[in-house]
């Protein structure tokens, strides 16, 4: 261990102080921290929009906002949570952990790394400021289906397009950086099949990103030219087709869903073995399962569009492929359970979030399987059942995994143990409230409540009031998280290098907190 | 922290209270619906649901057993196994078999749902922001179907009725026991016509047609909503379908056809006479509340950046002819529709008069049915 | 560094290609529609008349629908609502169009066939939807579509619905509309 830690580390730290350090930094740890803080900020901004939505839906009738503003809230909530919270949080984790996990001194392209972070705040500033334009911000749903987003959208659409372009460029640069780092900078002896699963899942995610973010860029460009420059990609009158938009969007959109869950698989595959004190079961099959999910993700996009009227054989093809995704996903869940089996488990906060992830993500997977059954999908589609489904995979899936990762690596980042009691409180409050929030949505959806409506029939009133209460509680619970983070950053019990008894991997061989520069001499992996 | 605990304990009570309340009004499951197909869909839904429950019970059962038994606190030593090809093949193969078992009935139902041939009645369903239009292809019968819930109920100024937001002025009427085919299309953005009781949800795409069909066994009233985000009032364009026995259906068709014929005859008479200002304003306000208020707002102020204001509009104040034309013919490429095809001459005259005199516009002039008719016939110059 | 540069170049190339692919999806989709009949799009190039025989053993009902879009003031309707044909027979169907307004208006009809798959078997030899149509104020005209049903039409289809949605495209009129229809 001492061979890796350099006594003269701080002599290397030529970091400028104050704001300049953060503006000019090319250090993967600084950039990772900035991504994570940014994601947390966006999580709260997007979350407060969700609070507006839940407030309006608390009672039937229009109370607080106008339908137009309600639509802007649902749209921007979705955009911010997807592109501002979940994706940057994963990129932040990748920045912090991937070099340390593969024994590299930094990311391969440090200056590009700085850029890919610093254009992000501007993208979201533009998006948020567009809400204050006359006519308001984007109000066509985060899926921006044409022609609602073209002929019938308001004047701020150009800003929306510009902002999505910047987000896309940022993600693509981040993804290229991850691929190059993993490809070229692994320490001697760190062969492909020795890489931690978090590295593997991010590697595959990065490929998905550079494959589909350009397609999204193409889609928004077509929206832009259709709206402002007289093209007719999606306008039937000019020979276009509005359904084409959905094909292009979901060709991006479905892999995007996996972009937001594959790194989560990697995190859980790191946490479960640590706290079960037992090696991960079926490492190789985990890698193959991840790869097959990524490949299948390009073949299932039209399952978001069963009601658009496709020929029967096309519908069947997409239904079968979608059902097939359940197989590799199932393999992953079985592997995690088998890892726990006959381990010696302890239940610190990261483990609790990882366990909740497995159960609740699987519930989201089950509803996903139900949604794949096309005839039944005609009833579920665009109802709260779908809302429940994707919040189970995104909130109790992706977000829970990010929180688990934060607790897991926080001692490594700060050098202090977080407050276990507060962490457990955060976990239990989140677990209970998130289920109060999203579980009843299944029932509301099955009973027939469409999504994206600002007001509803009286039969849905009780459940919606209840869901809103769950929503407010979940929102409040996350304040505990901020408290834990601040407390841990400021001080606390000193963390050891290994932090967790069962932790294995290169990142646990450097001291806690991790020095500004790590692995300047590559470690030898046996 | 005691507060937080308190809150946590009170939650299950709340949950119970809410579900007890709701069980009186809201079903907790998908509807079985009113047709053979919707029953099949319900069965598929339940089958896959129970399959998920069983798999979930097994997987979570093993997981929780492991959590209880294999904890360090019990002093167990961790095992070190980390693979088993046999087990891994097994748990790849079993889901595949289950999925194939599930795909077969799903495929059968899907094929039945898509078979729109040999229909007895065909209705062309056209969505537009934010209303449905129904046209019976076998009869000379077509009309718009608008939300009937009064604005005051939505704004919480009046008590909400039983079918709040699920009621329309003119429901779609179909015969029972006949195969009814729906052709869906749209005039502007994408809408989706959804009646849960028929298990029909089909997108209405502008410029293209989609098909769906149903055969309803029992007479009754079936309610649904638009299911695809279509703009501001997406939540306010419900679908109501009344299924009547074939005899009642034909009687209804005859009655509607004669009503429409009588209205057309009355329109012609209208051309010759002048309505007085009070009558025009009264009718106009009613029409405005039903058709215009969603975009141009009760105050006539519109929504800046999206829907133009009528209050103080230069077009209204300075160009009477252009005002009539824009209402009759709409404005291409915007949400402003050609109301000449949607409203009667009397209604058009009234709403134009109303908007010329309400919201402090005070132009003081009345527009008569004959003026509107002249524009419709292209002789308005 | 050289190692990085080659890999970055390759990855940027993939990115650029995928951006191009996004746009390539537009023509690809049209090809895909023509092959599979997604969305009931019909070919907008004239078909040639069929040479081999008529299948008199089958009868197909063709339903004709016409719908001026909401801001199109023309009166637009088919001469008859349904026609029963044998596969292989060439038929002509006329659509009536009238411009009741005081302005010249250019229209573009967009065809859509349901069930979508049947679109592959409905061949149009001549159609008013191939070009933009122009009508002077107060004028009317008959617009023909000449078509036949492919005898290869799968057995499960007995009814084909052909819908035209008519749009007002005066604003972006290219000037090459079928001007011979100006008078009547």
């Amino acid at each position: 261990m001492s061979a890796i830690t350099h006594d003269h580390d701080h002599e290397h730290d030529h970091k400028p102080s104050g704001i300049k350090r953060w503006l000019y930094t090319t250090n993967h740890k600084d950039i990772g921290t900035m991504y994570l803080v940014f994601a947390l900020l966006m999580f709260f901004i997007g979350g407060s929009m969700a609070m507006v939505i839940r407030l309006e839906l608390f009672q039937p009738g229009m109370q607080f906002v106008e339908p137009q503003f309600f639509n802007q809230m649902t749209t921007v909530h979705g955009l911010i949570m997807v592109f501002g919270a979940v994706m940057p949080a994963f990129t932040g984790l990748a920045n912090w952990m991937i070099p340390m996990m593969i024994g590299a001194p930094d990311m391969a392209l440090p200056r590009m790394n700085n850029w890919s972070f610093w254009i992000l705040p501007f993208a979201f500033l533009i998006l948020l400021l567009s809400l204050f334009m006359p006519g308001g911000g984007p109000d066509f749903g985060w899926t921006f289906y044409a022609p609602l987003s073209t002929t019938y959208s308001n004047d701020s659409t150009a800003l929306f397009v510009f902002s999505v372009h910047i987000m896309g460029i940022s993600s693509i640069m981040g993804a290229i950086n991850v691929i190059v780092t993993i490809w070229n900078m692994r320490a001697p002896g760190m062969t492909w099949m020795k890489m931690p699963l978090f590295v593997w899942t991010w590697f595959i995610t990065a490929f998905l990103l550079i494959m589909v973010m350009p397609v999204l860029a193409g889609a928004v460009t077509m929206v832009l030219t259709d709206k402002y420059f007289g093209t007719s990609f999606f306008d039937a009158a000019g020979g276009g087709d509005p359904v084409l938009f959905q094909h292009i969007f979901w060709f991006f959109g479905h892999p995007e869903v996996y972009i937001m869950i594959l790194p989560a698989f990697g995190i859980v595959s790191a946490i479960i073995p640590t706290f079960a004190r037992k090696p991960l079961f079926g490492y190789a099959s985990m890698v193959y399962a991840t790869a097959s999910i990524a490949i299948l993700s390009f073949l299932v996009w039209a399952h978001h569009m069963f009601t658009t009227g496709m020929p029967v054989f096309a519908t069947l093809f997409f239904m079968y492929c979608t059902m097939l995704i359940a197989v590799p996903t199932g393999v992953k869940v079985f592997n995690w359970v088998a890892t726990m089996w006959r381990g010696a488990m302890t239940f610190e906060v990261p483990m609790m979030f990882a366990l909740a992830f497995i159960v609740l993500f699987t519930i989201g997977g089950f509803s996903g399987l139900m949604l794949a059954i096309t005839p039944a999908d005609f009833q579920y589609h665009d109802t709260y059942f779908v809302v429940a489904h994707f919040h189970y995979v995104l909130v109790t899936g992706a977000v829970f995994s990010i929180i688990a990762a934060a607790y897991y690596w926080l001692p490594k980042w700060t050098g202090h143990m977080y407050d276990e009691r507060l962490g457990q409180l955060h976990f239990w409050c989140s677990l209970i409230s998130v289920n109060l929030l999203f579980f009843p949505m299944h029932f509301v959806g099955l009973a027939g409540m469409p999504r994206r409506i600002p007001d509803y029939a009286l039969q849905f009133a009780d459940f919606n009031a209840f869901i809103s209460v769950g929503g407010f509680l979940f929102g409040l619970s996350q304040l505990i998280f901020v408290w834990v983070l601040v407390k841990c950053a400021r001080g606390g019990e000193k963390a050891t290098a290994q932090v967790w008894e069962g932790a294995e991997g290169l990142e646990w061989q450097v001291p806690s907190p991790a020095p500004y520069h790590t692995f300047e001499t590559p470690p030898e992996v046996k | 922290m005691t507060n937080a605990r308190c809150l946590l304990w009170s939650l299950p009570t709340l949950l119970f209270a809410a579900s007890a309340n709701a069980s009186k009004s809201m079903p907790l499951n998908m509807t079985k619906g009113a047709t053979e197909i919707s029953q099949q869909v319900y069965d598929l839904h339940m089958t896959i649901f129970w399959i998920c429950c069983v798999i979930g019970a097994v997987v979570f059962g093993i997981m929780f057993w492991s959590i209880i038994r294999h904890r360090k606190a019990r002093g167990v030593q961790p095992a070190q196994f980390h693979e088993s090809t046999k087990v891994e093949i097994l748990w790849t193969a079993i889901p595949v078999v289950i999925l194939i078992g599930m795909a077969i009935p799903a495929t059968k139902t899907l094929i039945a749902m898509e078979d729109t041939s040999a229909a007895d009645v065909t209705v062309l369903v056209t969505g537009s922001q934010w209303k449905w239009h129904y046209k019976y292809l076998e009869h000379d019968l077509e009309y718009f179907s608008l939300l009937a819930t009064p604005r005051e109920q939505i704004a919480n100024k009046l008590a909400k009725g039983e079918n709040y937001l699920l009621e329309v002025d003119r429901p779609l009427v179909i015969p029972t026991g006949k195969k009814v085919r729906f052709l869906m299309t749209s005039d502007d953005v994408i809408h989706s016509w959804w009646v849960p009781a028929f298990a029909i949800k089909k997108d209405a795409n502008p410029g293209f047609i989609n098909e769906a069909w149903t055969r309803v066994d029992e007479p009754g009233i079936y309610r649904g909503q638009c299911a695809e985000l279509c703009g501001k009032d997406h939540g306010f364009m419900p679908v109501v379908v009344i299924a009547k026995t074939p005899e009642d259906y034909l009687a209804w068709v005859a009655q509607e056809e004669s009503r429409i014929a009588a209205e057309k005859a009355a329109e012609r008479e209208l051309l010759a006479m002048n309505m007085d200002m009070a009558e025009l304003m009264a009718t106009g306000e009613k029409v405005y509340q039903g058709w215009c208020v969603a975009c141009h707002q009760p105050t006539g102020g519109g929504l800046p950046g999206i829907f133009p204001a009528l209050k103080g509009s230069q077009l209204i104040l300075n160009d009477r002819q252009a005002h009539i034309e824009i209402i009759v013919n709409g404005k291409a490429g915007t949400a402003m529709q050609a109301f000449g095809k949607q409203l009667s001459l009397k209604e058009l005259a009234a709403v134009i008069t109303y908007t010329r005199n309400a919201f402090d516009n005070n132009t003081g002039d009345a527009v008569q049915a004959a003026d509107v008719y002249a524009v419709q016939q292209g002789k308005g110059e | 560094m050289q190692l990085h540069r080659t890999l970055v170049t390759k990855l940027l190339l993939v990115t650029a290609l995928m951006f191009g692919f996004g746009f390539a999806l537009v023509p690809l989709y049209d090809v895909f529609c023509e092959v599979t009949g997604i969305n009931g799009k019909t070919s907008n190039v004239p078909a040639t008349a069929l040479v081999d025989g008529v299948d008199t053993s089958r009868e197909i009902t063709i339903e004709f629908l016409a719908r001026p879009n909401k801001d199109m003031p023309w009166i637009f309707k088919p001469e008859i609502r349904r026609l029963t044909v044998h596969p292989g027979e060439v038929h002509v169907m006329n659509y009536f169009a009238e411009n009741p307004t005081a302005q010249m208006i250019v229209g573009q009809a967009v065809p859509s066939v349901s069930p979508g798959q049947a679109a592959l078997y409905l061949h149009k030899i001549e159609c008013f939807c191939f070009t933009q149509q122009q009508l002077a104020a107060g004028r009317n005209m008959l617009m023909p579509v000449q078509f036949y049903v492919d005898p290869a039409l799968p057995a499960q289809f007995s009814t084909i619905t052909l819908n035209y949605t008519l749009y007002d495209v005066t604003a972006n009129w290219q000037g090459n509309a079928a001007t011979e229809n100006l008078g009547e």
Side-chain angles (χ1 to χ4, degrees):
Chain A
M1 208 169 76
S2 55
I4 299 147
T5 341
H6 303 287
D7 292 332
H8 53 274
D9 252 339
H10 39 272
E11 288 167 31
H12 275 245
D13 297 0
H14 300 301
K15 53 186 179 199
S17 52
I19 184 78
K20 275 190 177 168
R21 165 179 172 191
W22 301 103
L23 271 178
Y24 300 143
T25 185
T26 55
N27 179 289
H28 73 103
K29 300 188 181 77
D30 281 352
I31 293 171
T33 306
M34 288 197 295
Y35 264 115
L36 289 167
V37 171
F38 179 77
L40 188 68
L41 181 70
M42 284 295 138
F43 181 62
F44 277 95
I45 293 176
S48 55
M49 290 172 183
M51 296 297 108
V52 174
I53 295 168
R54 284 322 317 175
L55 194 66
E56 181 54 55
L57 291 174
F58 186 66
Q59 293 278 298
M62 299 307 298
Q63 280 92 10
F64 301 98
V65 296
E66 289 297 309
Q68 190 82 37
F69 188 71
F70 181 89
N71 288 348
Q72 292 171 30
M73 285 294 106
T74 52
T75 305
V76 183
H77 163 73
L79 289 167
I80 287 199
M81 287 308 201
V82 168
F83 296 105
V86 173
M87 287 168 66
F90 280 134
T91 314
L93 292 171
N95 261 293
W96 250 104
M97 303 318 298
I98 287 177
M100 281 164 65
M101 283 176 155
I102 61 172
D106 202 316
M107 296 294 278
L109 310 157
R111 261 171 299 184
M112 191 169 89
N113 207 7
N114 172 290
W115 266 93
S116 54
F117 172 76
W118 274 112
I119 60 174
L120 212 47
F122 294 98
F124 286 92
L125 202 64
I126 292 168
L127 183 64
L128 289 171
L129 286 179
S130 76
L131 286 171
F132 298 98
M133 279 192 52
D139 56 4
F140 26 68
W142 86 278
T143 51
F144 60 105
Y145 279 9
L148 188 60
S149 62
T150 57
T151 318
Y152 297 88
S153 65
N154 53 33
D155 297 338
S156 66
T157 308
L159 293 180
F160 157 80
V161 170
F162 188 45
S163 149
V164 171
H165 269 307
I166 302 177
M167 294 172 202
I169 291 169
S170 164
S171 300
I172 290 168
M173 291 202 293
I176 289 179
N177 218 337
V178 167
I179 295 174
V180 178
T181 308
I182 297 173
W183 200 293
N184 288 344
M185 298 182 65
R186 279 167 292 133
M190 177 61 80
T191 58
W192 288 105
M193 291 313 265
K194 269 190 195 156
M195 292 197 312
L197 259 171
F198 180 70
V199 180
W200 253 119
T201 50
W202 238 113
F203 185 66
I204 293 167
T205 302
F207 271 104
L208 287 182
L209 276 167
I210 63 163
M211 303 275 285
V212 300
M213 291 309 284
V215 177
L216 174 69
V220 289
T221 308
M222 287 182 232
V223 164
L224 186 80
T225 57
D226 259 20
K227 182 164 175 65
Y228 297 99
F229 303 110
T231 59
S232 322
F233 289 108
F234 312 128
D235 181 8
D241 184 345
V243 178
L244 165 67
F245 173 83
Q246 297 179 35
H247 283 286
I248 299 176
F249 180 83
W250 287 113
F251 183 84
F252 145 79
H254 201 78
E256 168 69 18
V257 175
Y258 292 107
I259 286 167
M260 291 190 284
I261 203 67
L262 293 185
F265 292 161
I267 291 164
V268 173
S269 304
I271 292 175
I272 299 285
T274 298
F275 295 96
R277 292 167 181 76
K278 188 166 159 280
L280 182 69
F281 186 89
Y283 171 88
S285 65
M286 283 296 217
V287 174
Y288 301 140
T290 311
S292 38
I293 290 174
I295 292 164
L296 278 174
S297 77
F298 285 102
L299 299 175
V300 297
W301 78 87
H303 70 214
H304 297 269
M305 316 166 41
F306 283 145
T307 61
T308 58
M310 284 183 288
V312 181
F313 69 88
T315 309
L316 288 174
F317 169 79
F318 287 113
M319 173 168 91
Y320 297 150
C321 283
T322 306
M323 291 169 83
L324 210 55
I325 286 197
V327 176
T329 315
V331 166
K332 286 184 165 287
V333 175
F334 300 144
N335 280 345
W336 290 322
V337 174
T339 307
M340 287 185 252
W341 187 254
R342 289 184 48 213
M345 277 185 273
T346 52
F347 301 93
E348 288 86 346
V349 182
M351 182 63 163
M352 295 305 278
F353 272 102
L355 291 175
F357 170 94
I358 297 178
V359 175
L360 299 177
F361 170 78
T362 306
I363 290 176
F366 284 148
S367 53
L369 188 56
M370 294 169 78
L371 282 159
I373 309 293
T374 311
D377 177 78
F378 292 148
Q379 294 283 49
Y380 308 136
H381 179 73
D382 266 332
T383 69
Y384 264 78
F385 190 81
V386 177
V387 178
H389 160 71
F390 68 72
H391 280 96
Y392 262 87
V393 288
L394 281 177
V395 178
T396 61
V399 172
F400 267 32
S401 82
I402 292 165
I403 295 174
Y407 278 106
Y408 185 55
W409 285 310
L410 208 49
K412 179 58 62 189
W413 300 336
T414 62
H416 310 294
M417 296 304 288
Y418 59 84
D419 185 327
E420 183 69 28
R421 274 171 63 89
L422 271 181
Q424 291 284 352
L425 179 73
H426 171 221
F427 169 74
W428 285 106
C429 287
S430 300
L431 179 76
I432 292 166
S433 58
V434 85
N435 283 295
L436 295 178
L437 166 57
F438 295 123
F439 204 78
M441 286 186 182
H442 290 116
F443 300 123
V444 179
L446 290 174
M449 179 166 160
R451 64 191 279 211
R452 292 165 164 169
I453 56 172
D455 195 6
Y456 47 81
L458 296 182
Q459 52 169 331
F460 307 124
D462 291 345
F463 266 73
N464 270 288
F466 187 76
I467 291 168
S468 288
V469 171
F472 302 142
L473 290 177
F474 184 68
L476 289 175
S477 308
Q478 300 323 303
L479 297 175
I480 309 174
F481 185 44
V482 179
W483 185 8
V484 176
L485 292 175
V486 171
K487 210 175 157 197
C488 183
R490 290 186 154 190
E493 189 196 327
K494 287 267 172 268
T496 62
Q498 205 194 2
V499 183
W500 312 108
E501 190 190 15
E504 276 180 40
L506 290 177
E507 81 262 38
W508 306 109
Q509 294 176 13
V510 298
S512 306
Y516 202 57
H517 297 288
T518 41
F519 297 126
E520 280 180 300
T521 335
E524 194 72 41
V525 181
K526 54 191 185 318
Chain B
M1 221 166 95
T2 25
N3 272 342
R5 278 225 177 116
C6 224
L7 211 61
L8 283 181
W9 282 117
S10 63
L11 277 172
T13 340
L14 228 161
L15 174 65
F16 180 74
S19 56
N21 255 336
S23 61
K24 284 176 214 145
S25 47
M26 193 187 93
L28 290 175
N29 202 352
M30 182 191 283
T31 174
K32 284 183 186 154
T35 68
E36 202 188 318
I37 289 283
S38 68
Q39 176 69 45
Q40 284 181 28
V41 169
Y42 172 82
D43 291 340
L44 275 174
H45 158 70
M46 288 317 283
T47 317
I48 186 79
F49 171 71
W50 285 118
I51 289 175
C52 289
C53 284
V54 171
I55 299 174
V58 173
V59 175
F60 299 150
I62 295 171
M63 182 173 145
F64 281 105
W65 172 268
S66 179
I67 287 173
I68 291 162
R69 296 299 298 266
H70 307 141
R71 44 169 72 216
K72 199 190 171 201
R74 290 170 59 104
V76 291
Q77 281 303 312
Q80 287 303 313
F81 66 87
H82 57 85
E83 59 189 349
S84 160
T85 316
K86 219 182 277 175
V87 174
E88 287 173 61
I89 289 175
L90 203 66
W91 70 38
T92 310
I94 292 175
V96 172
V97 174
I98 295 173
L99 289 175
I100 291 173
M102 199 56 231
I104 293 168
T107 307
K108 274 188 195 149
T109 305
L110 185 70
I111 288 171
M113 287 174 113
E114 300 287 322
D115 176 20
T116 48
S117 60
D120 302 307
V121 176
T122 303
V123 183
L124 176 66
V125 179
T126 310
S128 63
Q129 285 179 330
W130 293 279
K131 53 192 172 286
W132 295 102
H133 177 263
Y134 301 116
K135 181 176 182 172
Y136 291 79
L137 297 186
E138 281 82 8
H139 306 282
D140 186 17
L141 182 55
E142 59 180 303
Y143 53 87
F144 283 92
S145 177
L146 272 82
L147 176 73
T149 303
R151 293 260 147 197
E152 289 80 12
Q153 288 190 17
I154 298 169
N156 307 304
K157 285 176 192 141
L158 280 178
K160 295 178 173 42
E162 188 196 350
N163 292 312
Y164 176 69
L165 296 187
L166 294 178
E167 51 200 343
V168 296
D169 56 351
R170 285 178 182 174
L172 175 69
V173 178
I174 58 168
T176 53
K178 303 262 189 209
K179 186 163 185 174
V180 182
R181 185 169 67 121
F182 302 103
L183 293 168
M184 322 281 182
T185 187
S186 163
D187 255 341
D188 38 44
V189 300
I190 301 172
H191 302 269
S192 191
W193 198 78
W194 180 31
V195 180
F198 308 160
I200 291 180
K201 185 185 284 146
K202 251 313 182 244
D203 288 1
N205 297 321
F208 297 89
I209 50 171
N210 257 331
E211 277 186 298
W213 68 274
T214 191
R215 190 192 301 273
V216 184
D217 303 325
E218 291 302 313
I221 303 176
Y222 304 100
R223 294 173 200 276
Q225 280 175 276
C226 175
E228 179 63 61
L229 178 63
C230 55
K232 188 170 79 67
D233 280 0
H234 163 54
F236 304 94
M237 53 181 293
V239 175
V240 180
V241 183
I242 299 182
K244 291 181 191 249
T245 58
E247 304 77 55
D248 287 357
Y249 167 75
L250 286 175
W252 174 84
V253 169
Q255 183 199 327
E256 283 298 296
E257 280 178 331
S258 59
R259 183 182 62 78
I260 289 169
E263 270 178 14
K264 274 188 184 154
E267 285 226 310
R268 257 162 239 136
E269 281 169 35
L270 210 66
L271 291 176
M273 65 185 205
N274 281 337
M275 287 179 284
D276 66 49
M277 196 69 177
E279 188 191 352
L280 282 168
M281 287 297 280
T283 317
E285 183 171 4
K286 222 184 284 167
V287 176
Y288 186 82
Q289 295 300 337
W291 296 74
C292 317
V293 79
C295 298
H296 295 294
Q297 302 296 302
T299 58
L303 288 173
I306 315 164
F307 304 121
L310 302 183
K311 187 185 167 92
S313 152
Q314 290 307 306
L315 182 129
I316 291 180
L317 296 178
N318 301 333
D319 195 341
R320 182 172 184 266
Q321 194 60 31
H323 186 196
I324 302 175
E325 273 171 18
I326 198 169
I327 289 182
V328 170
N329 295 331
K331 189 173 178 193
T334 69
M336 184 65 191
Q337 306 171 4
F339 288 102
K341 290 185 285 186
Q342 305 184 10
L343 297 169
S344 70
L345 283 176
K346 183 183 172 186
E347 288 169 321
L348 287 165
V351 78
I352 297 170
T353 306
Y354 177 74
T355 48
R356 295 187 67 71
N357 293 288
F359 329 119
D360 301 328
N361 281 347
N362 301 332
T363 54
D365 59 10
V367 173
Q368 296 295 346
D371 301 327
V372 180
Y373 184 73
V375 168
Q376 275 191 344
Q377 297 309 307
K379 299 175 197 101
E381 291 304 292
Chain C
M1 272 303 107
Q2 189 52 45
L3 209 60
H4 292 345
R5 201 163 296 152
T6 30
L7 188 54
V8 170
T9 316
K10 278 181 201 159
L11 293 173
L12 284 174
L13 203 67
V14 174
T15 310
L17 280 177
M18 287 311 289
F19 186 69
F21 179 74
F23 286 89
L25 277 173
V26 180
L28 274 178
Y29 176 74
D30 283 340
V31 172
F32 199 60
C33 288
E34 264 167 46
V35 178
T36 63
I38 284 188
N39 226 1
K41 276 190 159 183
T42 54
S43 171
N44 53 6
V45 277
T48 44
L50 189 77
V51 270
D52 35 313
V54 175
D55 180 2
T56 47
S57 64
R58 277 180 81 189
E59 286 195 334
I60 309 293
T61 306
I62 314 278
E63 279 192 330
F64 298 95
L65 280 180
R67 224 178 50 80
N69 207 47
K70 60 164 198 222
D71 42 22
M72 177 53 151
W74 284 13
I75 296 160
F76 176 50
K77 53 194 175 193
E79 271 192 324
I80 44 170
R81 213 183 74 68
R82 50 173 80 212
L83 192 66
T84 305
V85 302
H86 295 300
E89 278 175 357
V90 176
H91 287 265
V92 176
M93 178 68 195
N94 283 315
Y95 278 70
F96 172 80
E98 184 186 335
N99 177 2
T101 70
Q103 292 89 27
M104 183 277 288
I105 287 177
V106 182
Q108 169 71 58
V110 174
S112 175
V113 169
S114 193
Q117 255 174 291
L120 303 174
Y121 304 94
L122 187 70
H123 300 299
K124 288 176 285 187
I125 299 164
E126 180 62 61
C127 178
F128 59 93
C129 60
F130 292 157
T131 52
Q132 295 181 338
Q133 304 289 327
Q134 188 187 14
L135 267 183
R139 297 305 186 105
N140 62 54
M141 65 177 161
L142 284 179
M143 306 188 296
V145 49
Q146 191 182 17
F147 69 94
Y148 66 91
V149 176
D150 200 315
L153 181 77
Q156 77 254 36
F157 300 112
S158 56
T159 307
I160 299 176
T161 307
L162 172 60
N163 173 64
Y164 286 102
T165 307
L166 191 69
Y167 289 93
D168 176 355
V169 293
T170 316
N172 42 13
W173 177 39
Q174 292 147 6
N176 57 356
T179 40
E180 68 268 26
N181 292 322
L182 263 176
E184 197 94 343

